[in-house]
């Protein structure tokens, strides 16, 4: 189950999807990997969260509970 705890991650994910389409998750993963390589844990976690939000937004079927 994918979980995102941050509204800002969904906002950033929406922008990346609008700009890059299907490649948005790859872009977020690339940013996360670069942050990890540079030792920036905060940026790494932020970009992984955005990547998860992109994956959730691109799902075609409902997963989990709806609130």
């Amino acid at each position: 189950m994918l979980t995102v705890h941050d509204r800002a991650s969904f906002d950033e994910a929406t922008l990346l999807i609008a700009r890059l389409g299907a490649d948005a998750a790859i872009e977020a993963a690339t940013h996360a990997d670069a942050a990890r390589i540079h030792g920036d844990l905060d940026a790494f976690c932020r970009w992984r969260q955005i990547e998860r939000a992109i994956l959730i937004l691109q799902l075609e079927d409902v997963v989990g509970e709806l609130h």
Side-chain angles (χ1 to χ4, degrees), residues 17-58:
I17 291 169
R19 195 174 72 209
L20 301 172
D23 293 332
I26 295 168
E27 181 74 12
T30 300
H31 283 286
D33 290 343
R36 182 176 42 104
I37 288 168
H38 290 98
D40 188 347
L41 182 61
D42 290 335
F44 170 76
C45 291
R46 177 177 162 265
W47 281 107
R48 282 293 180 230
Q49 188 86 315
I50 293 167
E51 181 184 5
R52 284 191 293 274
I54 290 167
L55 295 174
I56 290 170
L57 291 171
Q58 290 179 333

Side-chain angles (χ1 to χ4, degrees), residues 1 7 15 23 48 52 55 63-64 66:
M1 174 67 77
R7 173 60 195 216
L15 292 173
D23 293 332
R48 282 293 180 230
R52 284 191 293 274
L55 295 174
V63 177
L66 296 176

